[in-house]
Amino acid sequence: MKKEEYISSGVLELYVMGSLSPREEVEVEEMAAKYPEIKEELSKIEASMEQYAFAHARKVPEGMKEKFFSKFDKKEKKSPSMKVVTNKVDGNTGFAPKWLVAASVTLAILTSVASVYLWSKLQAVEKELGVIKLANQQLAESFDQTNNELQSTKNYLSILKNNSTQFIQLKGLEIAPESEAIVYWDKSSGDVFLNIRQLPLPPEGMQYQLWALKDGQPIDAGVFETNSEIQKMKKIVGSDAFAVTLEKAGGSPVPNLDALYLMGKLES
Amino acid sequence: MQKDRKALEYLYDHYSAALFGIISRIVPAEEMAQEVLQDCFLKIWDNIKSFDPVKGKLFTWMAKIARNLAIDKTRSRDFKSQLKSDSPEDYSLMEKNHFEPSINSEAIDVKDIVSGLNQDQKQLIDLMYFRGYTQAEISKEFDIPLGTVKSKVRLGMNKLRSIFNI
């Protein structure tokens, strides 16, 4: 018989309840010795029946224990030598015979070992929980970041796809000839996006500002950071050209033309 | 010797109530049950060297001794003469009248167990574990096939295990 079938047959339960014949009992013991899975199942059944018996325990009447031990002591006095001999033969004269070990192990499992085990388990679980919380937090942050990136990419794409969007290339002027940027301007909606390709880091307390130029008049399109992201700027209704100047942080109402960094005209 | 006595006291302190619970269910007559309990510990003591921890748990082994001694008692002449004066054994009546609640506060309440097991399962387990019925006797008494006894017991036991978290 396969061991799984043997386990599920119910024979192990009957064994623990003492309902098998001696012959059947031997068979179960042999199977348990052969298969660790059967042995494990058996000890679980034993543990539950032990609990079941303890749940059905009956208070032993007062004085029973004393009565038992006075009888026990009398009996032991009669044949003490025999006891010693058996002890020697079995080699179990040490202070912890195997059955006592088994008894104390039973109790230890119920008390100290169990609590130490549970405590260390709790510690481990708490540690694990901490790690998971941290990982979760990191995940949430990276999700937010990804979500933001996705949003700006979507915006970017929608501008690119839009037929009315114009691309204006801004080129570096004398101050920083290497500088470069692109403005995407949707004429119909007025949306302006700025893609900085290259621009020197602004000095402390200063910020770059984008301007639209309409009929020679500068219109504020907002300040921006020099990161690589595509940034949404203020809406611009009409424009002939775009320019970037360096201004004090927060921007200026009129551009400082001495600090003109980028300039680009619309192709007409 | 002193050490061995201490060990036996330890066993008595920890297991006598559980074993008495088993014995009392087989031998309802109070005085006789007490007698069996005392015999049981003497027998445990005399045979303790034959207990093999590899084969199973100590409690299983002790419970078997208690059950067998109690069953032997029910077959003895003084038990039968006692029975004549008592009414015939009624399982459910016995459960109700004879047994006070568990004294072991750490153990799970008996009520919790009973509510988890159905009546059939509990009766089957109790008849075998507490009263020493063999599966053949159960099969005959309840007129169910041997295999069904096994599977019913297994079902009940699995429920017990989930109640005890084992």
Side-chain angles (χ1 to χ4, degrees):
Chain A
M1 198 190 283
K2 273 198 235 149
K3 55 182 185 280
E4 289 81 15
E5 276 174 46
Y6 198 74
I7 285 172
S8 60
S9 73
V11 73
L12 301 180
E13 279 80 359
L14 294 180
Y15 173 84
V16 173
M17 297 206 284
S19 298
L20 293 181
S21 69
R23 197 180 52 79
E24 292 170 312
E25 280 183 358
V26 170
E27 190 195 295
V28 170
E29 282 161 10
E30 280 172 359
M31 289 294 279
K34 215 159 135 192
Y35 301 107
E37 296 96 323
I38 292 180
K39 173 86 190 131
E40 202 194 319
E41 180 78 2
L42 206 53
S43 26
K44 282 180 179 169
I45 297 166
E46 288 192 77
S48 17
M49 282 325 284
E50 183 167 345
Q51 287 229 35
Y52 193 65
F54 271 87
H56 288 83
R58 270 195 79 203
K59 195 174 164 55
V60 174
E62 298 257 337
M64 285 273 288
K65 188 186 166 190
E66 290 69 24
K67 235 160 75 187
F68 172 78
F69 277 97
S70 73
K71 198 175 165 189
F72 172 78
D73 289 340
K74 254 185 241 160
K75 190 178 167 261
E76 287 299 298
K77 248 181 212 158
K78 268 194 224 161
S79 57
S81 57
M82 236 175 75
K83 201 88 202 170
V84 173
V85 171
T86 20
N87 278 348
K88 270 194 183 143
V89 168
D90 278 18
N92 271 331
T93 36
F95 67 78
K98 59 186 174 182
W99 62 268
L100 177 57
V101 170
S104 32
V105 162
T106 307
L107 190 75
I109 285 166
L110 292 172
T111 55
S112 61
V113 169
S115 55
V116 167
Y117 169 74
L118 288 177
W119 186 81
S120 65
K121 189 122 190 175
L122 179 68
Q123 295 301 303
V125 168
E126 270 177 354
K127 204 186 250 172
E128 207 175 320
L129 183 66
V131 171
I132 289 170
K133 272 185 178 166
L134 192 69
N136 194 34
Q137 195 184 332
Q138 284 169 345
L139 207 62
E141 278 168 10
S142 95
F143 175 77
D144 278 349
Q145 199 186 334
T146 310
N147 209 22
N148 286 342
E149 278 170 14
L150 176 68
Q151 207 49 51
S152 65
T153 308
K154 271 186 173 169
N155 287 342
Y156 184 40
L157 269 179
S158 72
I159 305 157
L160 291 184
K161 278 200 259 173
N162 196 335
N163 281 337
S164 55
T165 297
Q166 288 215 322
F167 297 18
I168 304 111
Q169 195 162 29
L170 308 189
K171 294 220 166 92
L173 299 173
E174 277 160 24
I175 303 176
E178 303 297 306
S179 303
E180 201 188 337
I182 300 168
V183 165
Y184 308 98
W185 180 41
D186 184 343
K187 272 184 182 167
S188 57
S189 70
D191 282 336
V192 175
F193 289 87
L194 178 64
N195 180 10
I196 300 293
R197 291 279 178 81
Q198 196 172 339
L199 200 59
L201 276 175
E204 182 102 26
M206 306 290 273
Q207 240 178 342
Y208 290 109
Q209 188 167 359
L210 181 70
W211 306 91
L213 301 168
K214 173 73 180 164
D215 302 323
Q217 289 298 309
I219 306 154
D220 173 30
V223 293
F224 61 89
E225 302 296 330
T226 50
N227 56 29
S228 58
E229 302 278 324
I230 293 180
Q231 298 170 68
K232 190 168 192 198
M233 308 305 291
K234 289 182 180 169
K235 279 185 191 249
I236 297 296
V237 180
S239 179
D240 306 316
F242 285 91
V244 168
T245 59
L246 187 64
E247 306 289 339
K248 62 181 197 300
S252 310
V254 286
N256 175 11
L257 295 177
D258 290 331
L260 192 58
Y261 274 71
L262 291 161
M263 175 75 115
K265 284 188 175 124
L266 266 81
E267 286 165 14
S268 47
Chain B
M1 195 69 248
Q2 195 52 37
K3 231 166 233 164
D4 284 356
R5 193 188 190 278
K6 278 245 168 70
L8 183 58
E9 273 191 63
Y10 173 90
L11 290 187
Y12 202 98
D13 288 342
H14 286 92
Y15 296 108
S16 58
L19 295 176
F20 195 43
I22 295 175
I23 292 165
S24 304
R25 282 175 168 77
I26 302 171
V27 182
E30 178 69 20
E31 230 170 278
M32 245 180 249
Q34 291 179 15
E35 208 177 289
V36 173
L37 180 69
Q38 309 292 56
D39 290 349
C40 174
F41 272 95
L42 284 180
K43 190 156 186 187
I44 285 170
W45 191 242
D46 288 342
N47 291 286
I48 197 79
K49 300 271 191 297
S50 75
F51 163 67
D52 182 359
V54 175
K55 278 190 189 167
K57 289 188 192 296
L58 181 67
F59 186 78
T60 308
W61 181 79
M62 293 193 296
K64 196 175 168 189
I65 291 177
R67 199 183 299 115
N68 288 343
L69 278 178
I71 292 166
D72 286 349
K73 186 58 116 184
T74 62
R75 289 172 187 150
S76 70
R77 204 186 313 160
D78 45 334
F79 181 81
K80 278 172 186 154
S81 62
Q82 173 99 24
L83 257 194
K84 270 178 203 157
S85 52
D86 290 352
S87 61
E89 42 184 333
D90 179 327
Y91 177 79
S92 57
L93 200 70
M94 192 182 86
E95 278 293 307
K96 258 181 223 151
N97 299 341
H98 199 72
F99 298 106
E100 61 264 45
S102 161
I103 49 141
N104 191 337
S105 57
E106 277 168 82
I108 291 173
D109 201 303
V110 181
K111 266 186 235 145
D112 289 343
I113 300 163
V114 177
S115 63
L117 292 177
N118 70 37
Q119 196 54 42
D120 269 14
Q121 288 163 341
K122 177 162 169 56
Q123 193 179 14
L124 221 57
I125 287 174
D126 285 356
L127 282 175
M128 287 188 165
Y129 191 66
F130 289 130
R131 308 199 60 199
Y133 276 59
T134 64
Q135 56 168 330
E137 284 167 338
I138 300 260
S139 161
K140 208 170 145 194
E141 185 129 334
F142 293 90
D143 198 24
I144 47 178
L146 276 180
T148 311
V149 177
K150 272 204 202 105
S151 56
K152 274 197 173 181
V153 168
R154 166 130 182 113
L155 224 70
M157 198 75 103
N158 282 345
K159 261 196 199 155
L160 265 191
R161 276 165 66 172
S162 70
I163 293 166
F164 292 135
N165 263 322
I166 293 172

